[in-house]
């Protein structure tokens, strides 16, 4: 299970209100993307879910259990791969599971094979390209025992071609495992292509000002981005974001 629910979340830093009565839900096995202008509070939401920050008001529940201020309840993948350079690829991907008990190295090898990295299992991060390092980080997230994954702009540092390849790869792996995912991105096309729902945040103090359900059948590929239906949704989200920035 991996159902996440944020109810009436308020967070201040000093006198500045970052989030005000934020309500957000991700259902079990659902892929949800968060879009919003820079500084709207997307990273703050992740830090609250991960227990790094404590909400001033409201509750955060994972599978109906309150997790306010608790660390270790979710798996988190940051913008950079954040691999330990002294650990091999295999040792890096089993780290999360290692911290919570005995890691399953056979499953880890299987996941690395699906990621096209089996031959790099005993290599070190410095021997991998940026895209390969991101694959390692995502496999590590999948192998962690937590039922929920937060992905914080994991492809933002990659070039456009590598980013597209990573999106396709992420979709193929996610569709097999179907973990619950909350994904932060600034890229509208990426959000639509990957997600079941897209949530648009307004300016601070942030709340969800628009929710868009993405009904395209899975599996999906990049050809979808050229269809009239896709472009209609992209335009709708773009105009919402544009209105936020203009205001």
């Amino acid at each position: 299970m991996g159902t996440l629910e944020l109810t009436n979340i308020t967070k201040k830093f000093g006198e500045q209100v970052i989030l005000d009565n934020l309500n957000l839900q991700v259902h079990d096995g659902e892929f949800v993307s968060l879009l919003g202008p820079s500084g709207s509070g997307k990273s703050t939401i992740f830090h609250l879910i991960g227990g790094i920050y404590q909400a001033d008001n409201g509750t955060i529940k994972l599978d109906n259990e309150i997790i306010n201020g608790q660390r270790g309840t979710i798996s988190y993948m940051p913008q950079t791969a954040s691999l330990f350079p002294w650990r091999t690829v295999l040792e890096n991907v089993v780290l999360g599971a290692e911290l919570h008990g005995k890691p399953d190295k056979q499953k880890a090898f299987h996941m690395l094979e699906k990621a096209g990295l089996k031959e790099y299992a005993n290599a070190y991060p410095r021997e991998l390209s940026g895209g390969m390092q991101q694959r390692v980080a995502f496999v590590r997230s999948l192998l962690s025992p937590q039922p929920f994954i937060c992905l914080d702009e994991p492809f933002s540092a990659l070039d456009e071609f590598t980013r597209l390849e990573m999106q396709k790869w992420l979709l193929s792996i996610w569709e097999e495992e179907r973990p619950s995912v909350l994904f932060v991105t600034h890229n509208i096309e990426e959000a639509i292509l990957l997600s079941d729902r897209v949530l648009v945040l307004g300016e601070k103090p942030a709340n969800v000002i628009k929710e868009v359900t993405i009904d395209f059948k899975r599996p999906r590929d990049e050809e979808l981005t050229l269809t009239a239906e896709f472009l209609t949704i992209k335009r709708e989200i773009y105009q919402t974001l544009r209105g936020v920035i203009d205001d």
Side-chain angles (χ1 to χ4, degrees), residues 13-52:
F13 292 106
E15 296 300 314
Q16 187 176 35
V17 182
I18 307 298
L19 305 172
D20 186 21
N21 288 317
L22 175 78
N23 292 282
L24 181 157
Q25 188 172 48
V26 181
H27 303 291
D28 183 42
E30 190 178 30
F31 198 120
V32 175
S33 285
L34 270 180
L35 282 169
S38 296
S40 60
K42 299 184 295 296
S43 294
T44 299
I45 292 171
F46 271 12
H47 290 152
L48 288 166
I49 295 169
I52 297 172

Side-chain angles (χ1 to χ4, degrees), residues 64-83:
N64 289 319
E65 291 190 12
I66 295 175
I67 60 168
N68 290 51
Q70 294 184 29
R71 301 189 182 189
T73 58
I74 61 150
S75 179
Y76 174 69
M77 181 177 167
Q79 295 179 24
T80 56
S82 300
L83 305 177

Side-chain angles (χ1 to χ4, degrees), residues 175-245:
E175 284 166 7
E176 286 190 34
E177 300 291 325
R178 289 288 176 128
S180 306
V181 172
L182 185 60
F183 184 90
V184 163
T185 179
H186 282 96
N187 189 301
I188 298 174
E189 280 196 3
E190 182 171 73
I192 300 170
L193 181 64
L194 296 175
S195 305
D196 297 305
R197 284 186 296 130
V198 176
L199 306 179
V200 181
L201 294 178
E203 289 277 15
K204 291 194 293 282
N207 213 320
V208 177
I209 60 170
K210 192 174 188 65
E211 176 180 318
V212 181
T213 299
I214 312 298
D215 289 327
F216 298 120
K217 292 182 180 179
R218 299 183 184 272
R220 301 172 184 170
D221 59 38
E222 67 270 26
E223 296 299 318
L224 177 64
T225 64
L226 302 176
T227 64
E229 294 84 358
F230 189 98
L231 294 173
T232 296
I233 295 173
K234 181 180 178 181
R235 187 179 304 110
E236 177 185 357
I237 294 173
Y238 172 81
Q239 289 173 346
T240 301
L241 283 170
R242 187 70 190 177
V244 170
I245 295 169

